[in-house]
Amino acid sequence: MVNRLHYGDNLDILRAHVRDESVDLVYLDPPFNSNASYNIIFAPPKAMRTRIDAQHAQIQAFEDSWHWNDTAEDAFDQVARSGKSKAFDLLNALRTFLGENDMMAYLTMMAVRLIELHRVLKPTGSLYLHCDPTASHYLKLLLDGVFGPEKFRTEIAWKRTFAHGNVGRAYGDITDAIFFYTKTDRYCWNQQYRQISGDKARSKYGSVDPDGRRWQSVTLRNPSARPNLHFPFTASNGTTYQPHPNGWSCNRERLQRYDAERRLHSQRRPAVRCA
Ligand SMILES: C[S@@+](CC[C@H](N)C(=O)[O-])C[C@H]1O[C@@H](n2cnc3c(N)ncnc32)[C@H](O)[C@@H]1O
C-alpha cells in the first residue's frame, strides 16, 4: 500500500483495500462539523468564475454539515456490531446526552471510521487527529473509546492564526487541536532534533567538554517547596550534596541515573562532570 492514492469515501476504501495492522501512521484532517459549505471556500473568486470552474468547484467541495437520518442510524448500528464495546458504550452515552441531532450524526460518522482506522494500524502505529473546538472534546472521548484512554499520548495545540481583533464577549479561537494516540505502548517514535547555528550553540551551551561537546548547566533545585524531594544525595564521587531548601527537582532514582550517565556537576564542589 505504499505510494498509492485512493479516491473515494474513506470508509469504503478502508474496508475494501486496507488490511488489518498494515499501516504505520494515520493523520486525519476530517471535516470539523463547522456547518459550513466548503463549496464557497474552494471556488475561485466570483469575478474569475466560469461555468466550468463552478462545476469543478462543486466536484472538489464537500458539505461539512451533518444530520441525524437513516445514514447516521445505520452508522450507529455498525458501531454497535463492531465488537468495540467501549466505543459503542461511549457513542450510546453521547446519544443519550446529545440526542439525535447534527452533532450526534457527525460523531457517529467519525466513530465508525475511527474503528476502521484503529483496525488497520500496526501495533507500532500512531494516529493524529486534527480538529477544532467545535467537536474536539467529543472526539477525544471517542478516541478514548476506540483506542483506550491510556493510549492517549499528547494533545498538540496548533496556533493557526493571530489573535483576533473582533472578539467582544469571549476569547478568540486561535488554535486547533491535534490528538496523538497510539495503538499500543510499543509505538514507533522518531525523536526529532533541530540543527542550531554555531552562534546560538555557543551562547546557549556555554560549557565545553574536552572532546568538544557543548552542554548547558540546568539547576536541580525545585522551583517550589517539595518536602518529599528534600534528602541528602551521595554521588559516586563520595561527596554528599544537600538540596536547596525547596528540595531536588527530581527523585533519588533519577539523580542516580544522572550520576551514572556522568551528567551531574557542582559549581562549588565538582562531583561528576557532565559528559
Ligand atoms: C477539513 S478538510 C481537509 C482539508 C485538507 N487537509 C487540506 O488541507 O486541504 C476535510 C476533507 O475531508 C474530505 N472528506 C469528507 N468526508 C470524507 C469521506 N467520507 N471520505 C474521504 N474524504 C472525506 C473532504 O472532501 C475534505 O477534503
Side-chain angles (χ1 to χ4, degrees):
M1 272 283 294
V2 176
N3 291 335
R4 192 174 304 165
L5 185 64
H6 288 276
Y7 180 77
D9 186 317
N10 50 26
L11 189 61
D12 302 335
I13 302 279
L14 282 161
R15 287 178 174 164
H17 298 285
V18 191
R19 284 182 288 110
D20 292 358
E21 305 200 333
S22 62
V23 170
D24 289 303
L25 188 140
V26 173
Y27 185 99
L28 69 157
D29 180 8
F32 293 177
N33 195 23
S34 58
N35 205 21
S37 165
Y38 282 78
N39 294 353
I40 297 149
I41 293 170
F42 288 166
K46 227 175 186 164
M48 294 163 58
R49 215 179 292 167
T50 63
R51 213 160 59 84
I52 306 271
D53 278 341
Q55 281 166 359
H56 187 59
Q58 293 293 323
I59 292 163
Q60 286 185 319
F62 70 104
E63 191 81 30
D64 187 8
S65 64
W66 310 89
H67 307 291
W68 191 265
N69 52 23
D70 287 351
T71 311
E73 194 71 66
D74 182 50
F76 190 83
D77 285 346
Q78 290 179 40
V79 176
R81 285 184 270 107
S82 68
K84 299 286 274 178
S85 60
K86 290 279 178 202
F88 180 66
D89 288 349
L90 211 287
L91 198 67
N92 209 16
L94 284 170
R95 186 169 178 174
T96 307
F97 174 64
L98 292 167
E100 291 165 1
N101 57 18
D102 297 355
M103 177 60 87
M104 192 58 211
Y106 168 73
L107 294 172
T108 306
M109 176 281 291
M110 288 298 294
V112 74
R113 287 167 172 80
L114 289 173
I115 288 170
E116 288 302 319
L117 292 170
H118 182 264
R119 173 185 68 77
V120 302
L121 270 185
K122 288 181 186 172
T124 49
S126 314
L127 174 138
Y128 293 81
L129 189 159
H130 177 181
C131 53
D132 79 1
T134 317
S136 57
H137 49 313
Y138 297 131
L139 287 169
K140 185 159 183 277
L141 284 173
L142 277 187
L143 285 164
D144 281 354
V146 174
F147 282 74
E150 71 289 353
K151 300 300 182 304
F152 167 68
R153 302 291 163 196
T154 326
E155 175 178 344
I156 301 167
W158 175 39
K159 181 170 178 286
R160 60 177 170 73
T161 178
F162 298 109
H164 301 312
N166 61 348
V167 277
R169 290 175 56 77
Y171 304 99
D173 278 335
I174 59 166
T175 58
D176 281 355
I178 302 173
F179 295 125
F180 169 35
Y181 279 71
T182 62
K183 179 120 175 205
T184 70
D185 294 338
R186 293 188 287 119
Y187 60 96
C188 174
W189 174 260
N190 298 313
Q191 184 66 42
Q192 299 297 300
Y193 296 97
R194 201 160 44 116
Q195 187 104 28
I196 58 172
S197 73
D199 282 350
K200 200 161 177 196
R202 274 186 288 280
S203 68
K204 193 159 183 205
Y205 302 96
S207 306
V208 191
D209 274 347
D211 63 1
R213 191 168 177 193
R214 297 196 153 271
W215 54 276
Q216 178 192 43
S217 172
V218 179
T219 182
L220 284 169
R221 150 190 174 169
N222 207 299
S224 48
R226 294 287 300 275
N228 60 326
L229 295 178
H230 200 286
F231 52 84
F233 176 69
T234 304
S236 56
N237 65 356
T239 306
T240 298
Y241 296 95
Q242 297 298 333
H244 178 271
N246 279 354
W248 301 107
S249 62
C250 57
N251 62 20
R252 189 183 297 279
E253 288 67 39
R254 185 170 292 204
L255 279 178
Q256 282 164 344
R257 179 154 61 80
Y258 288 157
D259 190 9
E261 292 169 356
R262 294 172 51 77
R263 292 170 64 191
L264 294 181
H265 78 108
S266 160
Q267 275 156 357
R268 258 178 275 145
R269 283 185 297 164
V272 183
R273 206 197 54 248
C274 171

